[in-house]
Amino acid sequence: MLVKARAVLFNFVGNGFLFRYSTAVATVPTYFTEKYLINSLGFSKQEAISASAKVTRTNSSKNPALCVNFLKQTGFNDTQIKILVFKFPDLLFYDVEKTLKPKLHCLSEIGLSGPELVKVLFRDWAFFQRGLNNSIKPLLSSLKKVLDSDENVVRVIKRCSWLISYYKGGTMEANLNLLRSFGCSNDKIKHIVLRNPSILKHSTKKLEELLHRVEKEVGVSPDSAVFLHIVSVLANLSQEKVDTKVGVFKSFGWSDTNILTMLQKLPYCVALSEARIQTALTFLMKEVRFKSIYIASRPSLLTYSLEKRLMPRYEIWKFVNEKNLIKSRQEFYTVMTWPESKFLDKYVLPVKAELPNLYNLYLKRIGK
């Protein structure tokens, strides 16, 4: 027989007592949840015990089958529901009409529905925990102000699903105001948020420090097209990470000027892993024998695949030029930037009849 339980808990804190008065009503026993998980959702005994231990808001007036049916109607399959409930079993006891439907309606209103909605919610189930009026609605409203349209809001949520469960209104608004105060136009802010919305979640103090660093240390004006791109890249890296990557460049003889030139032209290069930077520089500087200033002025060379583009094309480019097999010679960098079809037409197919083995070897190297 279930009985209502009231409890007064006394915990000694500091120099006094903290009185915690609870009127919690235990109305659904653990075995009920375990039984439901096993019989209705296919949980093993151990999975059911583990999931039941996470339940904090059981309520006999909420039928878990209503939630499961709602999730199925939304588009979740049985496997997804099982995984979702295992991670967040409290979901079973949410009121479908008063809680779940209104929250999902907010997303469907802006055009996020069907399989895409399911994909987003499955990746970030914490959305279900967020309040409708104090989190979800303010978040969507703030994003729309920045991005101008529902379509753009959906686009950025699909790219970064964590957004739907994130909302610190004060921080987001303060960061937007800070960017504007630095002279960043609404269009530039919109563009960078579409690419990297995480810029909105950093502390305002950290963001302000970063804005000053990019302006003064990197030497890029806030009205420059690349200013926010640099800020966005550096915002996602710790100072330790930045120092480590700068150290890799300097180990190859790069000067501070070289590094700043690269950063100003293509900030993404600093986001590459140390291993990738190392292997790219080893090939470009020791094999191809380029100087650091050449690479710094053409930093996209660092972003191309070494195995699928740089090395195979270099071998063809070098061989064809040395043997004078084609009339029109092109600079290495130019050849690297071409789409695959153009490189084949200009450098590979013209020598196919004469050097079939070279042609076949190249196709094998690039995985065709």
PDB file of all heavy atoms in Angstrom, residues 163 220 238:
ATOM      1  N   LEU A 163      21.978  24.014 -29.842  1.00  0.00           N
ATOM      2  CA  LEU A 163      21.350  25.321 -29.694  1.00  0.00           C
ATOM      3  C   LEU A 163      19.953  25.240 -29.083  1.00  0.00           C
ATOM      4  O   LEU A 163      19.542  26.112 -28.327  1.00  0.00           O
ATOM      5  CB  LEU A 163      21.245  26.006 -31.059  1.00  0.00           C
ATOM      6  CG  LEU A 163      22.296  27.057 -31.402  1.00  0.00           C
ATOM      7  CD1 LEU A 163      22.068  27.572 -32.807  1.00  0.00           C
ATOM      8  CD2 LEU A 163      22.292  28.198 -30.406  1.00  0.00           C
ATOM      9  N   VAL A 220      43.842  43.104 -37.283  1.00  0.00           N
ATOM     10  CA  VAL A 220      42.715  43.113 -38.221  1.00  0.00           C
ATOM     11  C   VAL A 220      41.636  44.037 -37.680  1.00  0.00           C
ATOM     12  O   VAL A 220      41.221  43.913 -36.523  1.00  0.00           O
ATOM     13  CB  VAL A 220      42.142  41.691 -38.429  1.00  0.00           C
ATOM     14  CG1 VAL A 220      40.920  41.731 -39.330  1.00  0.00           C
ATOM     15  CG2 VAL A 220      43.203  40.783 -39.020  1.00  0.00           C
ATOM     16  N   SER A 238      41.540  26.911 -26.896  1.00  0.00           N
ATOM     17  CA  SER A 238      42.168  27.419 -25.677  1.00  0.00           C
ATOM     18  C   SER A 238      43.481  28.088 -26.046  1.00  0.00           C
ATOM     19  O   SER A 238      44.060  27.807 -27.111  1.00  0.00           O
ATOM     20  CB  SER A 238      42.423  26.271 -24.702  1.00  0.00           C
ATOM     21  OG  SER A 238      43.411  25.393 -25.230  1.00  0.00           O
TER      22      SER A 238
END
